[in-house]
Amino acid sequence: MSLHTSMSVVTSILKPFSSAEGYRATSVTANKVRFSSPKERGLAESVRVALEEGNFHPVKEFTNFIRQAEINDDEFLLIVKDAKRVVHSLTPDFVHVIECLLSLNWKNRSFEIIEAYTEFYIDIMVTHNIYLPIGISKLIVHWIPDDLDESDWVNGCPSERTRLVLKPIHEVLNRILTAVPMAFDLVIDAISAKFPYFKKPAHVTSGYLFNVLWIIEYKPIFEELILQLVVQKLLVLDVNAPRDEIGSEIDDEDDKMKADPLLQIDDLSADTLAGTGRTLKHPIGKTLDIGLLMLYRFFEGKCRIHQNSNDQQRWTANRLFKMLLHIFDEVLLPSHNTHHVQFVLFYVTSIRLAYSEAFLDLLWKKVQNPNISVIIRHAAVGYMASFLSRARFLPLSLLLIFRMVIFYLKELSKWAHNYIDDSGEYNQTCSLKAHLVFYSICQAVFYLIAFRARDLTASSKDLLFLQSLQLSRLAMCHLNPLRYCLAPVATAFAGVTRTYQLAYCHTVLERNARRKLATVYGHDKCMPEETLESFFPFDPYLLKLSNKYIKNNYMVYQCNDKDDYMDGSTNEPLSRKRVDSEIIEEDDFIIADKRQKHLELPKCQESDEQFHFGSFPGLNL
């Protein structure tokens, strides 16, 4: 028997269609409603459906599409052209799609796209003013560099590629401001709101600051508001970058360089600091340094007048200085615990002598005005004393009829003597609060004479001038100003006046020391001794990069060899011991240890370290 095998046929479980049934199925599929994608429908069609049919669903889908999709150049150009075609129909009902359109990344696109997008941007801002806050804010956001763009920003200067990318943004903003004047207030508000947080990396803040100053170039009407905003923001950096932290960093670097001769740089000027990488490591201090460097550059270009400068340039420079003086009066003078921002005034006043005169005249009027707060008057005196002491560019030569330092030293002394006369000999109320301005002016006179002793005692005529100030009456009056002065100031002033036989103050200093001892230990409760708050705003400049604009005009302390001894016949250095911290063993106001100076230094060198505060700004206690 033969076995026959046969293959069984496997049939599909799906019912086969006949030709007629297949035709009918195809026809049903073709007749069904098909929805196009947002990309296919386009913005213009979506807006038409919303306006004519009241169906905003396509607009929402298109909004989500441009928010999430990666749009190529062709699609981008098509969307922008559609938006420009229906710009008049884009009422506030379409705010969400408009916000997405204004948020598109258009900076790095082709020239054709940038031009088309610019035209749409201007049209939507002019046609619908309701979108101005959104549009201006979206433009200014482009000013903020990314955290990873540090290589494109070197000390506040953008690379050429970055500058080309930013240029169209400023052109759009310029056209908006020209076409819509009501946008000016919105721009200021947006600039202030978008200013980077003070702890952001230095290149982020400096990059934004570069764009903020750029707007002044094509819209000078913003000058005063922009400069005031910049000063306020730099003040935030200044108060968060304490001198002691920056100073300790510099001291550590100096010690490291002294320990390793290979690290020493013969000419470490501010111009070479960037090239050597010797910038501040303190993050906020570094940001402040670069920000002030940019501000100095700005005023250098605007206020520096050359021989070939025309009348328009001179007028612009003077107008800008008046703005800066007003900003100082409104912002800087009332500010407390600032260290470096005020040097903007120091630098600008060094450009022209007339600026220095105007600055000192403003301060002196503040001091004399009894209707102004005593705190402001006290601050104004501190600015005067520090400026007159530190400004190398102020005339002091006998060849000049108007000697600014001597003029104000005379005026300050005259005011103090008049105050003593008006207070009455029998008025024994020596309260610091009651006579704050008087004690501030006396300390300013003592500080000026101690600091400028070498210049003020250079000739017999100068000594005659100092004698005319009646310093002995000033120091030994019933109000006892030496009691409230800072100990280094009082000690240095006493040393200078004793050397040149102008006044003998050491007896008063010792009596004040005994009186303080009785005050502290004569009661059950120890009360702190009242002392004038030290405020010398132009104390040594610690920032590295921007120091090149300050150092050539800045006067460091120069000790006077004649002050080294009480008289010429003795070899003992000036030393007055006191029973407490008010009188220090050595005259640290001028030099920490004069015996060490004679052993180590061949000649008294110019060093400001002996003439600035340790715990107080300005003097080394």
Side-chain angles (χ1 to χ4, degrees):
M1 181 177 176
S2 62
L3 181 61
H4 298 278
T5 61
S6 62
M7 297 180 62
S8 59
V9 179
V10 180
T11 61
S12 172
I13 63 174
L14 298 177
K15 184 178 180 181
F17 282 108
S18 64
S19 59
E21 291 173 342
Y23 175 77
R24 285 195 299 271
T26 303
S27 300
V28 170
T29 303
N31 292 331
K32 285 184 178 180
V33 178
R34 299 174 67 249
F35 293 97
S36 60
S37 66
K39 176 180 176 180
E40 295 172 346
R41 182 186 294 272
L43 175 62
E45 178 63 17
S46 300
V47 172
R48 186 195 66 78
V49 171
L51 293 176
E52 295 181 1
E53 303 178 10
N55 181 12
F56 282 84
H57 185 70
V59 174
K60 293 180 180 179
E61 288 186 338
F62 187 82
T63 302
N64 292 330
F65 163 70
I66 62 177
R67 183 179 291 156
Q68 300 174 6
E70 294 289 338
I71 302 175
N72 58 40
D73 287 356
D74 294 335
E75 294 170 347
F76 194 103
L77 188 59
L78 181 61
I79 291 172
V80 172
K81 288 182 177 180
D82 281 352
K84 191 176 188 308
R85 189 165 65 250
V86 298
V87 68
H88 292 281
S89 302
L90 297 175
T91 61
D93 296 330
F94 300 93
V95 62
H96 296 296
V97 70
I98 292 298
E99 186 174 2
C100 288
L101 289 173
L102 299 181
S103 301
L104 290 173
N105 185 12
W106 58 283
K107 296 185 298 181
N108 298 313
R109 303 278 181 172
S110 64
F111 174 78
E112 183 182 7
I113 290 177
I114 292 177
E115 187 176 13
Y117 190 82
T118 298
E119 295 302 323
F120 159 71
Y121 216 106
I122 301 299
D123 287 350
I124 194 68
M125 295 293 106
V126 174
T127 306
H128 304 285
N129 292 341
I130 191 67
Y131 296 131
L132 276 172
I134 300 175
I136 291 173
S137 178
K138 296 297 182 182
L139 281 177
I140 292 176
V141 164
H142 292 298
W143 293 359
I144 305 176
D146 294 333
D147 291 346
L148 302 178
D149 292 343
E150 185 174 3
S151 60
D152 292 329
W153 293 92
V154 179
N155 297 335
C157 294
S159 62
E160 187 62 27
R161 181 186 64 85
T162 303
R163 188 186 294 268
L164 292 176
V165 170
L166 291 170
K167 185 177 180 181
I169 299 171
H170 284 275
E171 291 176 350
V172 173
L173 185 59
N174 186 19
R175 292 180 60 181
I176 291 175
L177 290 170
T178 302
V180 190
M182 65 178 293
F184 281 81
D185 292 337
L186 297 175
V187 170
I188 290 295
D189 293 340
I191 291 175
S192 179
K194 298 297 180 182
F195 215 98
Y197 184 54
F198 73 93
K199 289 187 177 180
K200 279 286 187 179
H203 76 276
V204 175
T205 302
S206 60
Y208 188 82
L209 181 58
F210 174 86
N211 287 280
V212 169
L213 295 177
W214 190 347
I215 195 175
I216 297 178
E217 299 298 327
Y218 53 87
K219 282 292 181 277
I221 193 173
F222 282 110
E223 275 180 343
E224 185 169 1
L225 293 175
I226 290 292
L227 290 176
Q228 182 166 338
L229 176 63
V230 169
V231 170
Q232 290 172 340
K233 297 301 181 180
L234 291 179
L235 275 176
V236 176
L237 296 172
D238 200 0
V239 299
N240 285 280
R243 287 180 61 91
D244 54 350
E245 295 182 9
I246 298 177
S248 61
E249 177 184 328
I250 295 175
D251 291 340
D252 292 342
E253 291 184 2
D254 292 342
D255 293 341
K256 185 177 180 181
M257 290 180 63
K258 291 177 181 178
D260 188 352
L262 295 178
L263 296 178
Q264 295 182 11
I265 301 176
D266 294 334
D267 185 15
L268 191 61
S269 63
D271 297 327
T272 61
L273 281 172
T276 59
R278 286 180 56 81
T279 58
L280 287 175
K281 296 179 182 178
H282 192 284
I284 301 178
K286 180 180 179 181
T287 305
L288 175 65
D289 195 4
I290 297 175
L292 287 175
L293 178 68
M294 299 173 66
L295 209 53
Y296 295 145
R297 289 174 185 163
F298 174 81
F299 284 109
E300 171 76 14
K302 295 289 185 179
C303 294
R304 181 70 67 181
I305 298 176
H306 306 281
Q307 293 182 352
N308 55 352
S309 299
N310 54 39
D311 293 337
Q312 178 63 30
Q313 291 172 330
R314 296 177 185 273
W315 180 82
T316 301
N318 295 335
R319 175 175 55 84
L320 197 61
F321 173 74
K322 290 179 181 178
M323 289 182 185
L324 183 60
L325 207 58
H326 175 72
I327 293 171
F328 168 80
D329 191 11
E330 294 292 325
V331 179
L332 283 173
L333 186 59
S335 298
H336 177 68
N337 200 28
T338 62
H339 310 296
H340 293 96
V341 177
Q342 58 266 22
F343 275 89
V344 175
L345 260 296
F346 188 91
Y347 170 69
V348 176
T349 52
S350 70
I351 295 177
R352 292 185 64 193
L353 184 60
Y355 295 162
S356 299
E357 294 174 0
F359 178 52
L360 288 169
D361 183 64
L362 171 69
L363 294 173
W364 183 228
K365 288 179 179 177
K366 294 281 184 185
V367 174
Q368 297 179 91
N369 190 350
N371 297 319
I372 295 178
S373 167
V374 293
I375 301 300
I376 299 298
R377 296 170 71 188
H378 168 65
V381 172
Y383 269 97
M384 287 188 68
S386 190
F387 185 78
L388 290 169
S389 299
R390 297 290 187 175
R392 185 188 297 273
F393 46 86
L394 294 182
L396 195 64
S397 173
L398 286 172
L399 299 178
L400 296 172
I401 300 176
F402 183 78
R403 299 166 66 185
M404 203 174 299
V405 176
I406 291 180
F407 172 80
Y408 281 103
L409 187 56
K410 181 178 180 180
E411 291 297 312
L412 289 167
S413 301
K414 181 180 178 181
W415 189 97
H417 284 297
N418 291 336
Y419 190 91
I420 294 172
D421 295 336
D422 295 338
S423 65
E425 183 178 355
Y426 299 102
N427 183 5
Q428 299 297 329
T429 305
C430 298
S431 171
L432 181 60
K433 293 181 179 179
H435 308 287
L436 179 61
V437 179
F438 170 75
Y439 291 130
S440 300
I441 288 180
C442 289
Q443 179 168 264
V445 172
F446 301 158
Y447 182 87
L448 262 173
I449 292 174
F451 196 102
R452 292 268 193 169
R454 172 174 293 187
D455 297 321
L456 293 173
T457 59
S459 65
S460 58
K461 291 184 178 180
D462 291 320
L463 290 174
L464 288 175
F465 166 73
L466 290 179
Q467 291 177 0
S468 68
L469 299 181
Q470 303 180 53
L471 297 176
S472 180
R473 179 176 186 261
L474 192 63
M476 300 179 185
C477 68
H478 62 279
L479 294 176
N480 195 4
L482 289 173
R483 176 185 177 185
Y484 299 101
C485 285
L486 292 169
V489 175
T491 306
F493 171 75
V496 172
T497 53
R498 182 183 182 120
T499 300
Y500 295 98
Q501 300 182 5
L502 300 171
Y504 296 94
C505 306
H506 288 93
T507 303
V508 178
L509 295 179
E510 292 173 354
R511 183 173 68 248
N512 290 337
R514 289 192 296 270
R515 181 181 301 174
K516 177 189 291 187
L517 203 64
T519 302
V520 174
Y521 297 104
H523 305 280
D524 294 336
K525 185 177 180 181
C526 295
M527 300 296 292
E529 181 70 13
E530 287 183 313
T531 305
L532 268 175
E533 181 183 2
S534 59
F535 184 70
F536 297 99
F538 299 117
D539 277 338
Y541 197 86
L542 301 181
L543 304 179
K544 295 182 178 180
L545 291 175
S546 54
N547 187 43
K548 67 178 182 179
Y549 287 93
I550 303 298
K551 64 177 183 178
N552 291 332
N553 298 310
Y554 190 79
M555 179 174 289
V556 297
Y557 176 69
Q558 300 177 6
C559 64
N560 192 345
D561 292 336
K562 293 182 180 180
D563 299 337
D564 289 345
Y565 305 104
M566 294 174 56
D567 57 73
S569 61
T570 175
N571 294 325
E572 292 297 326
L574 179 61
S575 175
R576 303 287 279 180
K577 293 185 179 180
R578 300 191 189 181
V579 290
D580 69 341
S581 61
E582 184 182 21
I583 297 183
I584 52 182
E585 182 176 353
E586 294 293 337
D587 192 357
D588 287 347
F589 179 82
I590 295 178
I591 195 162
D593 191 345
K594 292 184 178 178
R595 288 170 293 187
Q596 183 180 0
K597 180 201 72 170
H598 285 288
L599 291 174
E600 296 180 356
L601 301 180
K603 187 176 181 180
C604 180
Q605 62 182 8
E606 294 185 6
S607 175
D608 211 40
E609 296 178 356
Q610 294 90 20
F611 204 89
H612 70 84
F613 287 89
S615 57
F616 302 95
L619 305 175
N620 189 13
L621 293 177

